[in-house]
Amino acid sequence: MRLAAFLLLLPLCAPVQAADSARARMEAFSKGLHSVTAQFAQSVTDANGRRGDESRGTLALEAPRQFRWETKEPYEQTIVADGARVWIYEPDLQQVSVRNQSSEEAHSPLTVLTDLSQLDSQFTSAEGGERDGLSWLRLTSKAKEPEFEYAELGFDATRLARMRFKDSLGNMTEIRFDDWKLNPGLPSSTFKFTPPKGVDVIGDVRPEAEVFPVGG
């Protein structure tokens, strides 16, 4: 994510504005960060303004490439990125899909929290101003075929409080975060996944195989 240059009309105020920018808040939150956990609440509003049910769960991140996203309600879903592949387990369907991690995680705004180097390498960023009591940073992916039109990260004085992103179909996803734990000691099992017995596995889990996304 590359911070867009902006002009400050009053040079004497520059240190104050820079210190309180969304970029500055993000860097302060992420400084020295190598792992995090949090709770989330997520909702999706479609292009016609219809809002779906809110889902809730927990997340865990660990540098450089490990990720766990567990939806608890109103349905269960587990997504685990183990550093090589991404596993998506849906108990209601008795199904696990697996795909190459590089295609799944390269454009995730959350990965910058534990790897700030991605801020400028994967995204272009710009200050989004103040809204709803938060300071917003807008991210635009540099990918040739980005998975979302843009993402916005909203920071309060000390933490990431909200994330919004708009996909190519006009759907807007909003995620609210709470109960952040910074640099917790996470067991290695957090980012390992073994398909339960009896479930259908879509994809190839052999170590030598190249795994492709399921369903596009």
Side-chain angles (χ1 to χ4, degrees):
M1 313 169 191
R2 293 177 182 163
L3 179 62
F6 59 93
L7 298 177
L8 297 174
L9 298 179
L10 299 175
L12 291 178
C13 295
V16 175
Q17 293 186 23
D20 199 39
S21 68
R23 170 80 181 226
R25 291 185 182 189
M26 179 176 204
E27 291 179 347
F29 178 73
S30 300
K31 184 177 181 181
L33 200 62
H34 59 77
S35 64
V36 293
T37 63
Q39 298 179 13
F40 70 83
Q42 174 178 292
S43 62
V44 179
T45 302
D46 67 19
N48 296 316
R50 293 187 294 264
R51 189 173 184 268
D53 294 335
E54 184 175 81
S55 59
R56 294 178 176 272
T58 61
L59 69 91
L61 298 170
E62 187 166 83
R65 293 165 54 84
Q66 295 176 308
F67 178 85
R68 187 179 189 97
W69 182 276
E70 277 194 274
T71 301
K72 306 289 189 181
E73 55 183 54
Y75 58 88
E76 293 185 13
Q77 183 190 60
T78 299
I79 303 174
V80 177
D82 61 16
R85 294 181 175 84
V86 175
W87 304 83
I88 303 174
Y89 174 41
E90 299 178 87
D92 289 348
L93 300 178
Q94 284 294 288
Q95 177 178 291
V96 173
S97 60
V98 57
R99 66 177 74 183
N100 185 288
Q101 185 171 342
S102 60
S103 64
E104 175 74 11
E105 57 119 30
H107 310 123
S108 171
L110 281 177
T111 61
V112 303
L113 296 179
T114 54
D115 186 2
L116 275 176
S117 67
Q118 292 193 49
L119 187 62
D120 293 322
S121 64
Q122 300 291 344
F123 300 94
T124 297
S125 68
E127 293 294 321
E130 298 287 328
R131 188 172 69 252
D132 301 329
L134 304 174
S135 184
W136 292 86
L137 188 68
R138 176 172 285 213
L139 312 178
T140 305
S141 173
K142 294 181 179 179
K144 292 182 180 180
E145 297 181 2
E147 296 183 0
F148 55 87
E149 183 178 328
Y150 65 83
E152 295 181 313
L153 304 182
F155 292 85
D156 62 20
T158 60
R159 65 190 180 111
L160 175 64
R162 205 181 307 177
M163 183 171 75
R164 303 172 73 243
F165 59 90
K166 184 178 181 180
D167 66 23
S168 59
L169 299 177
N171 301 313
M172 181 66 74
T173 299
E174 179 170 288
I175 307 171
R176 293 180 285 109
F177 301 101
D178 196 14
D179 195 26
W180 286 104
K181 300 288 193 303
L182 307 185
N183 292 327
L186 298 174
S188 59
S189 59
T190 304
F191 306 105
K192 292 181 179 178
F193 184 83
T194 301
K197 291 182 179 180
V199 305
D200 294 327
V201 179
I202 302 174
D204 200 330
V205 298
R206 292 176 299 172
E208 71 275 11
E210 184 177 2
V211 182
F212 295 91
V214 176

